[in-house]
Amino acid sequence: MPVIAEIEDLRRLYRRRTPRMFFDYAESGSWSEQTFRENTSDFAHLRLRQRVAVDMSNRSTASTMIGQDVAMPVALAPVGLTGMQCADGEIKAARAAEKFGVPFTLSTLSICSIEDVAAHTSKPFWFQVYTLKDEEFMRRLFDRARAANCAAIVLTLDLQVLGQRHKDLRNGLSAPPKLTLKSIANMMTKVQWGLGMLGTRRRFFGNVVGHAKGVTDPASLSAWTAEAFDETLDWDRVRQFRDMWGGKFIIKGILDVEDAQKAADLGVDAIVVSNHGGRQLDGAMSSIRMLPRIVDAVGDRVEVHMDSGIRSGQDVLKALSLGAHGTYIGRAFTYGLGAMGEAGVTRALQIIHKELDTTMALCGERDVHNLGPQNLIVPQGFDDPTMRL
Ligand code: GLV
């Protein structure tokens, strides 16, 4: 067994063990992938301030996200098709998250359904929804999330239309995978993955098939996803969704100060500064560079979370130091899942936690709540979208 020292080790194993089509789905951005790349590379422009001879004992990474206790302010982000990365993937990831003490967010485009994940976990998870046209389906999704005791809705606002991902087009991505000579040849080399998939009945989009009108098989599902997203969305509609749910409400996909202000005006519980992991508007700024301005503008009114680009505990520390109240990892836990199932997600969380804790110590901090600008050296213009770094 190779030594798993960092998230990159999990990524390497994941790449070896998972069919190409699903690895590529996770490991891609839209179009030229500039934003996908900059989400991670921009973290490297932030340097840490080393402090010495301070009491570093009794450190704590414990915090809260939307009032919920968390072992560290790192939630698992909603990731579509997680149950294709590894059999029963959403259930495994949710279990790892609950054992670790961090929130798990289930995607609407998951393979395991809301009910299935609820039946196999014991703590309330969060549920992500897209803004879909089908009002009845949306109401039913909220009802199902309520019945499953979900603790929050995470509404994705940056996917009214899909950003084109070239790799997915070339691979003919679908769930379950289309059987072509190329995909069969590739899957035959992924023995562990194949055995897992043969052993589960969860191979379709569990929240949609049999629930959305006219969607009974995967072929009609692709037609449904192409047509389902609401291009006419506006802030009134967002307000309606918030009222339809009536509980804790998080808006995801904010990358602009004006949009952040509008979201804060709605009185939501949190916003997630996010560009969808670079999967939607390629050429948009990285989340980490937009974070400071958004925190400045609305941080006193709403909890500001961030995702896109976090691959280490040091990245988490940098986001928290720039004012994020919480963070999310998507790819980082997906690598773990594809590499080693539930144990791999646990390993990803342990790695991030250890890196966060040790870095905190070397920065001379004992409590995540005390992290702030004093822990960073930020290059001039970092938070200015008009400046090149
Ligand atoms: C879904 O939200 C995706 O980015 O594929």
Side-chain angles (χ1 to χ4, degrees):
M1 190 66 191
V3 174
I4 310 282
E6 55 172 338
I7 295 295
E8 179 58 20
D9 293 328
L10 290 171
R11 197 184 80 93
R12 272 195 289 267
L13 258 186
Y14 163 53
R15 183 181 195 146
R16 227 182 296 146
R17 294 186 172 170
T18 312
R20 188 58 193 253
M21 163 187 311
F22 300 117
F23 174 83
D24 279 352
Y25 169 73
E27 199 60 357
S28 60
S30 52
W31 290 290
S32 75
E33 303 192 329
Q34 178 188 25
T35 300
F36 168 58
R37 286 189 301 276
E38 288 181 357
N39 275 337
T40 48
S41 63
D42 279 350
F43 273 101
H45 292 293
L46 298 169
R47 299 295 165 88
L48 299 164
R49 203 163 145 221
Q50 171 178 310
R51 301 303 308 275
V52 295
V54 285
D55 182 354
M56 297 173 183
S57 62
N58 298 319
R59 290 183 303 282
S60 167
T61 60
S63 188
T64 57
M65 285 172 82
I66 58 161
Q68 189 176 316
D69 287 334
V70 292
M72 61 178 171
V74 181
L76 299 199
V79 178
L81 277 87
T82 295
M84 278 292 134
Q85 304 291 359
C86 170
D88 308 330
E90 290 89 1
I91 291 174
K92 290 174 181 161
R95 284 187 168 176
E98 80 171 27
K99 284 180 203 152
F100 204 89
V102 294
F104 170 74
T105 318
L106 183 71
S107 163
T108 292
L109 285 180
S110 58
I111 302 299
C112 305
S113 67
I114 314 177
E115 292 77 9
D116 227 356
V117 176
H120 291 88
T121 51
S122 56
K123 288 196 195 137
F125 54 93
W126 299 353
F127 184 58
Q128 172 270 341
V129 290
Y130 299 99
T131 50
L132 306 172
K133 277 189 279 208
D134 185 340
E135 176 89 15
E136 201 185 311
F137 180 67
M138 285 298 276
R139 280 191 191 283
R140 256 184 293 126
L141 266 187
F142 285 140
D143 287 345
R144 291 170 63 196
R146 251 186 296 276
N149 202 23
C150 289
I153 286 292
V154 178
L155 185 74
T156 297
L157 286 193
D158 57 3
L159 204 147
Q160 274 167 273
V161 293
L162 194 70
Q164 179 169 306
R165 297 121 192 210
H166 299 333
K167 288 177 193 147
D168 292 351
L169 283 179
R170 292 184 182 119
N171 289 331
L173 176 78
S174 66
K178 273 192 211 82
L179 298 179
T180 62
L181 276 181
K182 194 171 143 211
S183 69
I184 293 172
N186 182 250
M187 282 187 282
M188 280 173 63
T189 64
K190 317 292 176 187
V191 178
Q192 204 177 311
W193 178 90
L195 290 174
M197 283 297 161
L198 286 174
T200 182
R201 59 189 162 74
R202 301 179 185 97
R203 291 194 288 260
F204 302 90
F205 290 106
N207 292 323
V208 181
V209 173
H211 294 278
K213 253 184 278 155
V215 181
T216 49
D217 64 57
S220 57
L221 176 69
S222 51
W224 179 80
T225 40
E227 288 181 5
F229 297 95
D230 182 6
E231 290 191 18
T232 69
L233 181 77
D234 58 18
W235 286 101
D236 281 340
R237 189 90 180 110
V238 175
R239 187 189 308 274
Q240 283 166 18
F241 288 137
R242 184 204 61 186
D243 295 344
M244 213 186 262
W245 171 247
K248 296 267 184 188
F249 201 76
I250 301 173
I251 284 182
K252 175 172 171 287
I254 299 291
L255 203 66
D256 187 275
V257 168
E258 268 179 48
D259 289 340
Q261 274 155 345
K262 288 185 176 139
D265 290 346
L266 276 186
V268 295
D269 296 279
I271 59 169
V272 188
V273 177
S274 169
N275 52 37
H276 214 101
R279 304 163 70 76
Q280 284 295 98
L281 180 63
D282 186 39
M285 290 285 286
S286 65
S287 288
I288 191 66
R289 283 190 68 187
M290 290 313 294
L291 177 67
R293 286 184 170 227
I294 293 178
V295 169
D296 256 11
V298 299
D300 55 342
R301 292 200 283 152
V302 64
E303 250 180 51
V304 179
H305 299 174
M306 81 80 74
D307 75 13
S308 303
I310 293 181
R311 305 286 188 275
S312 73
Q314 293 212 325
D315 294 341
V316 172
L317 182 138
K318 289 173 181 178
L320 298 176
S321 299
L322 287 184
H325 188 94
T327 62
Y328 297 72
I329 49 169
R331 293 186 179 90
F333 92 78
T334 304
Y335 301 160
L337 181 72
M340 296 158 61
E342 181 179 332
V345 180
T346 302
R347 190 74 196 103
L349 287 167
Q350 286 167 340
I351 289 170
I352 300 249
H353 180 263
K354 178 95 192 299
E355 288 167 345
L356 171 61
D357 176 63
T358 307
T359 307
M360 230 167 65
L362 295 173
C363 287
E365 298 290 353
R366 299 201 293 187
D367 187 337
V368 266
H369 295 107
N370 296 338
L371 291 169
Q374 77 280 2
N375 301 115
L376 296 183
I377 298 155
V378 182
Q380 249 179 15
F382 183 82
D383 66 346
D384 181 349
T386 65
M387 298 280 281
R388 273 186 69 185
L389 283 177

